[in-house]
């Protein structure tokens, strides 16, 4: 099944997977404490604004994961002291779903003292507090749902979502929290 890009958020862990039929020549790179999706050297030239973006970024005392440019304003709201739920709602609401041929939803999550997951679709904005691993995807699974996720650190989180039984895996990122410290990991495809 193809569910597109997806995130899994738990109380102390999160992961994001780039899945793509249209732009598979991408990878996730570390840039300081931020993880960024960008085209590989082999990727054809494109002016598509949705193929390169920060997918993991710190904000306040939390970490934000997501599938697009909305990750940055959510992190900025957290830096300004917004409560996590409000930062997530305002970022998703402000940027809305992607105005592409598929009306692709934007998905995001926050891990910190509180954990939240959210999606903005053409027809809805859904934000949920997270008390157990929860998945939301751009297609098919476009409402937060419980997800069996056994990862215990950033590396196993990235590997687990990359290997998940959904089609067209490209790259994955994982985040885990221990106390006030965050660990980040990247798992790129071949």
């Amino acid at each position: 099944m193809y569910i597109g890009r997806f995130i899994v958020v738990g109380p102390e862990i999160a992961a994001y997977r780039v899945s793509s039929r249209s732009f598979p020549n991408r990878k996730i790179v570390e840039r300081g404490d931020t993880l960024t999706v960008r085209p590989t050297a082999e990727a054809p030239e494109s002016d598509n604004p949705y193929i390169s973006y920060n997918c993991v970024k710190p904000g306040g005392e939390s970490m934000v994961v997501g599938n697009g440019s909305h990750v940055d304003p959510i992190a900025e709201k957290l830096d300004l002291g917004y409560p996590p739920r409000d930062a997530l709602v305002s970022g998703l609401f402000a940027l809305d779903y992607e105005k592409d041929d598929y009306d692709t939803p934007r998905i995001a999550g926050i891990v910190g003292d509180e954990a939240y997951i959210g999606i903005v679709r053409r027809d809805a904005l859904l934000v949920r507090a997270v008390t157990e691993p929860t998945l939301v995807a751009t297609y098919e699974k476009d409402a937060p749902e419980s997800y069996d996720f056994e990862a215990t650190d950033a590396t196993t989180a990235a590997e687990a979502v990359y290997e998940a039984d959904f089609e067209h895996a490209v790259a994955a990122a994982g985040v885990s929290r221990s106390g006030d410290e965050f660990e980040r990991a990247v798992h790129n495809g071949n």
Side-chain angles (χ1 to χ4, degrees):
M1 174 190 315
Y2 181 65
I3 64 170
R5 292 165 301 284
F6 67 92
I7 58 175
V8 176
V9 177
E12 300 289 324
I13 200 157
Y16 169 66
R17 186 173 102 177
V18 181
S19 305
S20 182
R21 297 178 286 210
S22 304
F23 297 99
N25 295 329
R26 290 186 278 175
K27 63 183 177 180
I28 298 174
V29 297
E30 293 185 54
R31 294 183 324 111
D33 54 7
T34 299
L35 302 180
T36 303
V37 176
R38 71 175 199 200
T40 62
E42 302 81 31
E45 289 289 320
S46 176
D47 61 355
N48 185 316
Y50 302 119
I51 61 174
S52 184
Y53 51 88
N54 293 328
C55 65
V56 174
K57 187 171 184 170
E61 303 297 318
S62 301
M63 196 66 70
V64 181
V65 298
N67 73 321
S69 60
H70 56 287
V71 167
D72 294 336
I74 294 169
E76 289 166 9
K77 297 287 187 196
L78 291 167
D79 284 339
L80 291 171
Y82 278 57
R85 179 184 162 276
D86 295 353
L88 187 57
V89 168
S90 66
L92 290 172
F93 179 75
L95 274 89
D96 209 4
Y97 63 93
E98 295 177 1
K99 306 307 189 279
D100 60 6
D101 293 340
Y102 308 103
D103 293 338
T104 302
R106 291 183 190 267
I107 54 176
I110 296 175
V111 175
D113 288 339
E114 301 173 67
Y116 288 90
I117 196 166
I119 182 170
V120 60
R121 309 183 311 230
R122 188 167 195 248
D123 66 340
L125 170 62
L126 306 172
V127 172
R128 304 281 187 266
V130 171
T131 58
E132 64 181 353
T134 304
L135 176 140
V136 70
T138 56
Y139 309 117
E140 302 299 324
K141 296 182 173 286
D142 65 353
E145 64 181 57
S146 179
Y147 184 71
D148 187 21
F149 195 61
E150 301 296 325
T152 57
D153 58 43
T155 300
T156 58
E159 290 170 355
V161 295
Y162 186 85
E163 297 297 331
D165 195 23
F166 300 116
E167 297 174 355
H168 302 287
V170 172
V175 175
S176 62
R177 179 177 185 241
S178 178
D180 293 336
E181 300 292 318
F182 288 95
E183 174 192 16
R184 288 166 293 283
V186 170
H187 185 90
N188 285 310
N190 297 332

